[in-house]
Every structure is written in structure tokens, then in C-alpha cells.
Amino acid sequence: MLLAFTSNDFAQKSGGESENLVFVKDGTFLSSSSTKNPSDYTTHRERVGDFYISKYEVTVALYKKVTGKNPTSARDGTDEMNRPVENISGYDCIAFLNALSRLENLDESYRLENEKWTCDFSKNGYRLSTLPEWEYAARRGSLSKGYKYSGSDRIGEVGWYDDNSGGHAHQVGLLKPNELGLYDMSGNVGERCWLLQMERKRLSSILHDHWADKNAGVGAGVGRFYQHLVFKENCLIFVY
């Protein structure tokens, strides 16, 4: 999970998790598929506005500080608190982000309406990145140097994967960041995004609703996706 923030007055905010957020300038990019059959997902141009995104994945330490819980199953090392939090549902993400916003005296971005969660992008609280925002950030935004992976042509320099991870998540920020200063945008653990309605329609027809987190049951738009580590093109994503 990565924190995102869209408030125009964010630059004046200091302290808290704002210290770990990076500004991403608006822009456009060509979005395409990372599936084995690229024709399944029509290449199209996406545009995103200005936003902020956390340079690190949310750690166990931060999640526990805010919620008092540690859902991560791996408790076998001294770096556990600095690993990305795992085993959380879409509801857990929303609860955590709203709680973090309250903790820092910000407005909650999520609210429950007609039994569905909605995200109010005009609020100044924390939220998940949208799918285009995440992909744009993974592609390094306007600062992209065209690397094969997010920050390097060598996956081992920027991402934990089968050959170097030992089969478990690792402490955030140990490898090289991408051009925006974001870490672990290739590899380590899966991420969650907030799917807008147009994205939900496009992806559900392609992936037969496998992108949805059926255990979480969040119908309003929290999708889970994984960063594939065998890329033929730039850093791409596949939605389950």
C-alpha cells in the first residue's frame, strides 16, 4: 500500500507522514498491458493531474502505530517493523487511511454511502493512488529515462523478486529508487489502488472480475494488483 495525497495546500503541511511523500507533476503516458496477450488490453493514453505519493510502501511500524495491529505473518527478523505491511483487505486500507488522516488532523477522504465506499478527492486527507497515478509514478512520470524496470534496466538493483528475495518481503527502501525517488515500485509486495468507475468497467470485462478482492468485498473500487517482475517493456502491472 502506498499513500497518496491531492490537496493543493499540501506544500504548506509539515510533520507526520507528509515528510515521506513525493510530488508528482501532472502529465500523460501511454498505458498498456502486462499480460501474456497484450491485445487483451488496448493501449491508450492516460492523463493524471498533480498528486503526491509516498516514497516507501506503508510499513508494519506505521500500520501498527495507527491501528494498533500487526497483520503481517512474517515475524522472523529484526527488520520486521520496516517491512511493508501485508495481509490487509480493502476495508483495512480504507480504515487505516482515514485513521491516519484523523491522527494528523486532516479530513477523511473515504466515506460510506449507500453501502459503498467512495473517495472524495477534494478532501485533504490520505488516500490510495488511482490506477493511472500508480502506473504513471512507476513509469517515473515526466522524469522517466526509459528504463526497463522502475529505476533501472537491472531488476536486481530496484526490485525484490524470486531470485533475490528468499521468498519473503524485505525492508522498504533498501534498493535503488526510480527517477522520482520512489522505492520498491518493481517487486517486494503487491499494491492496492483506488479504481475509478471507467477503470472498473474496462478491467472487469478483460479480466473477468479477477481483479476484485473477493475476500474484502469492497465494491466501490479498491483493486489489488501485483507488480510483475518479468517485463518485456517498461514497468507494467497486471490486475487480478
Side-chain angles (χ1 to χ4, degrees):
M1 174 170 48
L2 293 165
L3 304 177
F5 203 97
T6 51
S7 176
N8 291 330
D9 61 0
F10 183 80
Q12 283 71 51
K13 175 178 163 52
S14 61
E17 287 307 305
S18 64
E19 304 293 339
N20 288 322
L21 268 68
V22 172
F23 175 72
V24 182
K25 177 64 177 173
D26 70 323
T28 61
F29 68 99
L30 197 63
S31 178
S32 58
S33 173
S34 65
T35 66
K36 293 182 179 179
N37 183 7
S39 64
D40 288 344
Y41 186 13
T42 304
T43 299
H44 61 286
R45 186 161 294 280
E46 291 274 10
R47 178 171 183 82
V48 297
D50 294 347
F51 66 100
Y52 293 83
I53 191 168
S54 54
K55 65 175 67 175
Y56 305 113
E57 294 165 315
V58 171
T59 63
V60 173
L62 176 58
Y63 190 87
K64 186 175 182 180
K65 173 186 175 181
V66 174
T67 67
K69 301 176 182 178
N70 178 4
T72 302
S73 58
R75 296 180 172 84
D76 56 358
T78 57
D79 67 342
E80 176 202 357
M81 291 293 106
N82 291 318
R83 293 183 186 181
V85 66
E86 300 178 77
N87 303 321
I88 53 175
S89 70
Y91 288 126
D92 294 332
C93 290
I94 289 174
F96 164 78
L97 291 163
N98 275 350
L100 180 60
S101 295
R102 294 193 301 271
L103 188 65
E104 298 191 7
N105 297 314
L106 301 171
D107 297 329
E108 296 180 1
S109 293
Y110 296 101
R111 63 178 183 273
L112 189 62
E113 292 183 346
N114 299 320
E115 300 184 349
K116 288 187 177 182
W117 284 98
T118 62
C119 180
D120 187 342
F121 288 82
S122 69
K123 299 296 184 182
N124 66 357
Y126 293 101
R127 61 173 178 81
L128 293 170
S129 62
T130 65
L131 182 57
E133 285 174 341
W134 188 93
E135 188 174 355
Y136 185 60
R139 292 175 180 274
R140 293 78 69 194
S142 60
L143 301 179
S144 176
K145 296 180 181 178
Y147 291 129
K148 184 177 182 180
Y149 305 101
S150 190
S152 175
D153 286 328
R154 299 179 179 180
I155 182 59
E157 293 184 349
V158 293
W160 297 107
Y161 68 116
D162 287 347
D163 289 350
N164 69 353
S165 68
H168 61 82
H170 285 258
Q171 178 179 337
V172 302
L174 291 181
L175 302 179
K176 288 176 55 177
N178 69 7
E179 294 91 316
L180 290 171
L182 306 177
Y183 293 84
D184 300 306
M185 296 301 281
S186 295
N188 220 358
V189 300
E191 301 294 351
R192 289 186 184 274
C193 277
W194 187 259
L195 300 181
L196 302 176
Q197 187 63 30
M198 66 182 72
E199 296 154 7
R200 287 166 55 81
K201 289 180 178 179
R202 183 170 68 239
L203 294 170
S204 63
S205 63
I206 296 166
L207 301 168
H208 308 292
D209 289 327
H210 288 303
W211 60 269
D213 184 348
K214 295 178 176 58
N215 293 324
V218 179
V222 178
R224 183 165 184 157
F225 57 93
Y226 296 84
Q227 306 158 14
H228 272 202
L229 296 169
V230 180
F231 302 109
K232 294 183 179 179
E233 302 175 6
N234 287 337
C235 180
L236 302 176
I237 56 176
F238 180 72
V239 182
Y240 283 91

